[in-house]
Amino acid sequence: MIKNTVLKLALAAVYFSVAGGLGMSMGSGLAHAAAPMVKTSAPAYYRTMLGAFEVTALSDGTIKLPVDKILMEPEQTTKQSLAHAYLQAPLETSVNAYLVNTGSKLILIDTGTATLFGPSLGKLLANLKASGYEASQIDDIYLTHLHPDHVGGLMNNGAMAFSNARIHVSQAEADYWLSQKNMEQASADAKSFFQGAMDALNPYKAANKLDTFNQDGELMPGLSAHSTKGHTGGHTSYLPESQGEKMLVVGDLIHVAAVQLDKPEVTVTFDSHAKEAAAMRQKIFTQAAKEGLVIAASHMQFPGMGRLKKSGSGYQWLPVNFTQMP
Ligand SMILES: [Zn+2]
Ligand SMILES: [Zn+2]
């Protein structure tokens, strides 16, 4: 009996595999075609609340970075850390920006790259629109620093992308990167960084829409500036805060999570002041872990928002929980 059942099952399996092999031709007379792959990504925005503020993380896309060549440690050491995290070089790296609606102001922190780094980036405006906002609605843009992957998006095909926005950046950052003299004295490689900052900022400056600040503290109700210099001389983190909830937007305080969470002392070639950058990372990480503070980082994997937990001599990344809005 059992033998018989097994035989029947085996025959059924053969039947279905033959029928499957013949495709749909038995029924409809049409050959069965697999659906073509779509190969596009979902609009990349992530929305959550911070007290009464609405926060939207916006992806500008990703870029493959040769992190084994740009971290200041032996290539082999980087490769080992990447392998440990099931990653490899070049590492697909997120570029994120953050939109905060305070209820009375619409604020954007950093702007992505626009067309500066090829077709896998420059998605910020499309994702902003997909998230339900127009670029013209943005009142204020706060820049963590003036590297091209943070300011490139200020311009769109030669025009100001944010027609009604005022731009805010620390005085030290503006003084350094917008100086013609500094650009002339820079190495050939570094010149493009100065040029990128000037191309992005100068039209706003000419239109009298560029503001600078030179100390930490409140910039507008619910938003304060905190110097996190090191990566660049005027690098600034921004802290939106509502009803006791806080999020520190840290820009380029960290580039490669798979390495720098475990070893915050490892710096990147893009750091203007490497020693200061490493010390600042340690300082902010220590503080964030102690307070359970949500940090939002430009190059952590999208949406780049999470908390840090001390783990041995390094840190563990705890991404924010997913939240569904009605
Ligand atoms: Zn940077
Ligand atoms: Zn960056």
Side-chain angles (χ1 to χ4, degrees), residues 144-150 193 231-232 235 251-252 255 270 299:
T144 57
H145 63 301
L146 300 190
H147 277 166
D149 53 319
H150 300 256
F193 281 77
H231 174 60
T232 59
H235 189 278
D252 280 9
H255 289 86
F270 313 133
H299 304 302

